[in-house]
Amino acid sequence: MKITTTSNTRFGRYGGQFVPETLMQPLKELAEAYAHLKEDPQFMRELSGLLADYAGRPTPLYHARSLSRELSRKVYLKREDLVHGGAHKLNNVLGQGLVAKEMGKTRLIAETGAGQHGVAAAMVGANLGLETEVYMGEVDIERQKMNVYRMELLGAKVIPVKSGSRTLKDSINEALRDWAASYENTHYLMGTVAGAHPYPLMVRELQSVIGTEAREQILAAEGRLPDSVVACVGGGSNAMGIFSGFLADETKLIAVEAGGRGTSSDEKIADHGACLNLGEEGVLHGAMTKILQDPYGQILESYSVAAGLDYPGVGPELAHLAEIGRVTPAIADDETALEGFRRLSILEGIIPALESSHAVGYALRNPDALGDLAIINLSGRGDKDLTTVMEQERRRRR
Amino acid sequence: MKLSEAFKRRPLLIAYICAGDPSPESTPEIVELLARAGADVVELGLPHSDPIADGPVIQAAAQRAIEAGMNTNVYFEMASRIRADLPLVFMGYYNMIYQRGLDKFAGDCANSGITGLIVPDLPPEEAGPLREACEKAEVDLIYLVAPNTPAERIPIIAESSSGFLYLVARAGVTGTRSEVLLSTKALIERVKADLPKAVGFGISTPEQAAEVIRAGADAAIVGSACVDLISKGDLEGLENLIRGMKLAIREVKPIEAVARI
């Protein structure tokens, strides 16, 4: 008997389970538990309850009047920045936290880059009474001291990652290594739609609440579907969350990746995080997807002013949707994002996260790509980024 | 030498080193030293930037090797320069193979004297295309069995594997451990296969090597302990370690010369 690739772990050519044998059983147990629980009405009631009362859902779909005027078309913002914790990350974390609890796990581990997912994991760990440890690169710890302190306040332990490039990709490596040894009592709470099956599927489904709400809300407000939905993409969880509500429609789905400092790369470091646009097929963190790599298959470090987009891979489902033409990849560089950051603050009185600013900045510079009616997914708020933006401005003045 | 040939003289000692650490030039000499000291098979690791199955010792070695100029081209040139009379086995991550092209990679192995491949992040579910390439090039593709591999999965892995079966001694990543766990012994008993069984992950002393052979393994694999000594420049220590391990396993079980017809 020969095992053939089971198609339900894949999105077209992408996805799969490229992991050590030790992780095959934990992934199988997780996939089975999740598949069972999502059909369990009591579990779903508990999740909906927490999403409403703890996270603050549904989030508004806001008609951004000044931005609309500036772009000469109607633009709505999906206000994920208003979710508890300040970003869409909590939607996924609450779901996985409950799954972990149902599976009898007592400990959560998570990776974090900028700290947003780590903070969400720490919140849920505190809320559900699960011990929480967050892997964070030494470089990121230095860049995001405030979020480290927030996680500690919430009772989580932050473990500095000293290997490799000491950033997000290495934190995922460390979390996977930890999980291979600890899965009997530990759930690995992955923050994005990347990694081995079932993570890309599970995280997309847990984030799909964004798209489900947005679709209902735009139909109620406008009586029609939008011409486009714009979202920033790092790993791709906020994008897949909102896109999933419109996949079966005609709506254009625009995935804005980090253009960073430019589109070139040297031997070890790319100047961007644009995997859908500039990456090549390869395996990272357990999935076949589009990645940034050298000709031999070594993974490059990525770069973006937005730490949440600073990742050399992308969710396999996005790679697939881009390949079949359902999702339109786009790029916004640091400059464009910073312009989005400032303009939205001035125009609407909303300070967007630097990640979300990529979607805003793209819209500002490419209004014609949006059609007459657009939704921008405002995946997070920008308070966490003030130091970074101040630093950028200081550098520019020099 | 083919693996099937080598396994006629079990028990075997298999040594892992990270190719290119401390420098690409040093590796052939280190392999020859290992052979002299009694290693029966050498696993030649191709360093990867993101080695998710490896502990800190091999991670650090991989980073040093990459910085010293190691890449896949250099790897195969180096392998073809190795003159030791023992089977060489590739160990490395799938993306490195995928980028070169599966057929080309398997062919390069065959042409440079590498007789088998171990790919720790490639379970049988994803290995179909590489297995075809390996069959074409007539090199073995060796699969891993972990302590948490369910019983019903073991025969499937065993049937896909060729050369030998790699039994992962314990959950987690590569690295040295203080004891051989009961679960390792249970795993050796649990795995029923026609292929030879080699046990690795966490074996760093002659006593541990002897223990897994006593428990029924056909080979003991030592990795991080070798890499650690190489990183300290202690080649004499490395030679002593391999000698000691070989002696220990041969004491447990004298060579089963031309076993089982």
Side-chain angles (χ1 to χ4, degrees):
Chain A
M1 182 183 142
K2 286 190 173 183
I3 308 182
T4 49
T5 304
T6 41
S7 59
N8 63 358
T9 68
R10 296 250 181 177
F11 308 95
R13 296 186 297 134
Y14 300 103
Q17 295 183 311
F18 295 85
V19 294
E21 176 63 22
T22 322
L23 287 177
M24 290 301 281
Q25 184 61 14
L27 288 170
K28 181 166 178 262
E29 286 172 18
L30 176 61
E32 285 170 359
Y34 171 68
H36 169 74
L37 287 168
K38 72 180 182 184
E39 303 298 331
D40 177 351
Q42 201 186 324
F43 176 85
M44 290 311 288
R45 258 198 308 281
E46 196 178 352
L47 177 56
S48 305
L50 281 171
L51 285 172
D53 304 334
Y54 185 67
R57 302 207 73 89
T59 59
L61 184 72
Y62 166 68
H63 177 207
R65 286 171 187 78
S66 306
L67 181 64
S68 296
R69 223 175 3 256
E70 174 129 339
L71 298 180
S72 319
R73 65 210 66 221
K74 216 161 185 185
V75 179
Y76 283 80
L77 301 176
K78 180 60 176 163
R79 297 292 309 275
E80 292 301 298
D81 60 316
L82 296 177
V83 174
H84 176 46
H88 73 291
K89 289 288 180 193
L90 189 63
N91 305 327
N92 164 46
V93 171
L94 275 175
Q96 283 196 49
L98 287 177
V99 169
K101 207 154 180 173
E102 287 292 325
M103 290 179 78
K105 311 288 181 187
T106 56
R107 175 174 174 259
L108 296 176
I109 51 173
E111 82 291 347
T112 200
Q116 289 309 103
H117 173 57
V119 168
M123 293 190 309
V124 167
N127 191 276
L128 299 179
L130 298 166
E131 180 193 350
T132 305
E133 297 188 31
V134 180
Y135 286 96
M136 188 168 184
E138 263 186 345
V139 172
D140 291 330
I141 287 179
E142 194 49 41
R143 288 196 282 207
Q144 299 285 340
K145 285 188 183 134
M146 206 51 89
N147 268 342
V148 173
Y149 186 57
R150 280 170 90 193
M151 287 184 264
E152 285 167 357
L153 273 180
L154 291 158
K157 188 175 160 202
V158 178
I159 306 175
V161 174
K162 299 174 191 205
S163 58
S165 60
R166 295 173 294 145
T167 59
L168 177 60
K169 85 174 169 72
D170 307 281
S171 303
I172 297 178
N173 293 341
E174 276 311 314
L176 287 169
R177 291 177 187 124
D178 180 318
W179 201 39
S182 66
Y183 78 96
E184 280 181 12
N185 71 352
T186 298
H187 173 68
Y188 174 26
L189 212 170
M190 193 171 216
T192 190
V193 289
H197 176 77
Y199 285 103
L201 174 76
M202 177 171 65
V203 177
R204 182 251 285 160
E205 287 185 347
L206 292 171
Q207 290 291 3
S208 68
V209 64
I210 307 173
T212 308
E213 284 176 12
R215 193 172 189 281
E216 282 170 18
Q217 289 165 324
I218 195 82
L219 286 174
E222 293 291 330
R224 76 167 181 105
L225 290 165
D227 297 317
S228 65
V229 173
V230 187
C232 65
V233 171
S237 70
N238 90 81
M240 278 316 302
I242 195 161
F243 289 172
S244 65
F246 301 90
L247 277 177
D249 305 321
E250 302 281 296
T251 302
K252 183 177 177 188
L253 306 173
I254 304 173
V256 184
E257 296 193 300
R261 297 179 284 245
T263 50
S264 57
S265 10
D266 73 5
E267 261 176 42
K268 288 187 83 174
I269 303 173
D271 283 335
H272 57 86
C275 299
L276 293 174
N277 286 281
L278 302 165
E280 283 154 13
E281 206 173 300
V283 170
L284 178 62
H285 296 140
M288 178 70 71
T289 184
K290 289 281 177 75
I291 61 176
L292 305 180
Q293 57 186 330
D294 78 3
Y296 300 105
Q298 308 288 15
I299 311 303
L300 300 178
E301 287 173 40
S302 53
Y303 164 79
S304 168
V305 69
L309 306 185
D310 195 348
Y311 179 58
V314 66
E317 190 170 14
L318 276 164
H320 171 64
L321 292 170
E323 189 165 280
I324 63 171
R326 182 63 194 97
V327 160
T328 309
I331 292 188
D333 62 9
D334 282 3
E335 275 307 306
T336 309
L338 287 164
E339 183 186 326
F341 185 88
R342 286 196 202 88
R343 292 300 294 159
L344 197 70
S345 302
I346 294 283
L347 287 169
E348 299 291 343
I350 298 171
I351 302 177
L354 275 175
E355 290 77 12
S356 325
S357 300
H358 283 73
V360 176
Y362 172 81
L364 283 167
R365 292 198 179 179
N366 305 276
D368 291 338
L370 307 181
D372 296 328
L373 179 63
I375 300 176
I376 298 173
N377 197 23
L378 203 65
S379 54
R381 68 173 183 229
D383 308 49
K384 68 179 175 62
D385 297 315
L386 298 183
T387 331
T388 310
V389 175
M390 281 164 66
E391 181 66 27
Q392 291 281 334
E393 280 178 352
R394 207 166 34 232
R395 235 179 269 165
R396 188 168 322 171
R397 262 185 256 118
R398 264 183 221 146
Chain B
M1 196 196 290
K2 282 280 176 196
L3 282 167
S4 52
E5 194 64 31
F7 271 100
K8 284 179 182 163
R9 297 166 52 81
R10 56 193 131 187
L12 301 192
L13 180 63
I14 303 178
Y16 168 95
I17 58 166
C18 176
D21 176 42
S23 69
E25 298 72 42
S26 63
T27 301
E29 283 166 39
I30 294 175
V31 174
E32 280 146 32
L33 177 149
L34 292 168
R36 238 184 1 256
D40 300 294
V41 176
V42 170
E43 286 177 17
L44 211 47
L46 174 61
H48 184 42
S49 56
D50 293 72
I52 54 174
D54 285 304
V57 171
I58 293 178
Q59 284 173 43
Q63 234 169 317
R64 282 193 303 270
I66 292 169
E67 271 156 34
M70 197 59 203
N71 64 40
T72 317
N73 292 340
V74 177
Y75 179 91
F76 284 119
E77 282 163 28
M78 167 201 296
S80 55
R81 281 206 313 273
I82 294 171
R83 291 288 160 251
D85 182 28
L86 84 185
L88 294 175
V89 173
F90 162 88
M91 186 156 184
Y93 291 84
Y94 188 54
N95 196 47
M96 304 290 288
I97 301 171
Y98 193 74
Q99 294 318 315
R100 196 170 186 85
L102 306 184
D103 283 323
K104 181 163 164 43
F105 198 99
D108 285 342
C109 283
N111 293 334
S112 59
I114 290 170
T115 162
L117 287 79
I118 303 169
V119 190
D121 62 344
L122 194 71
E125 283 84 346
E126 306 289 358
L130 181 60
R131 193 169 55 201
E132 267 176 43
C134 286
E135 277 166 13
K136 246 185 279 171
E138 296 180 0
V139 290
D140 292 315
L141 184 57
I142 296 142
Y143 291 87
L144 296 90
V145 178
N148 61 354
T149 300
E152 67 273 14
R153 197 177 151 78
I154 292 175
I156 300 172
I157 298 176
E159 270 176 48
S160 313
S161 195
S162 63
F164 61 88
L165 258 184
Y166 192 129
L167 273 54
V168 175
R170 68 176 273 172
V173 294
T174 57
T176 59
R177 314 266 194 261
S178 54
E179 59 188 64
V180 175
L181 297 176
L182 278 176
S183 62
T184 306
K185 295 177 186 164
L187 179 66
I188 296 168
E189 280 173 27
R190 211 151 65 82
V191 175
K192 308 273 181 252
D194 295 333
L195 284 176
K197 294 180 263 187
V199 177
F201 279 46
I203 295 171
S204 56
T205 65
E207 293 72 35
Q208 290 171 329
E211 235 179 302
V212 297
I213 298 301
R214 207 173 291 127
D218 300 296
I221 306 173
V222 54
S224 295
C226 299
V227 175
D228 190 39
L229 290 167
I230 293 169
S231 79
K232 292 171 183 151
D234 187 1
L235 294 186
E236 200 185 319
L238 180 65
E239 195 165 347
N240 289 336
L241 175 73
I242 296 299
R243 263 187 223 295
M245 286 187 132
K246 185 63 175 287
L247 206 64
I249 66 170
R250 284 285 154 91
E251 266 172 24
V252 176
K253 226 179 180 183
I255 300 174
E256 294 175 20
V258 199
R260 298 171 211 173
I261 300 160

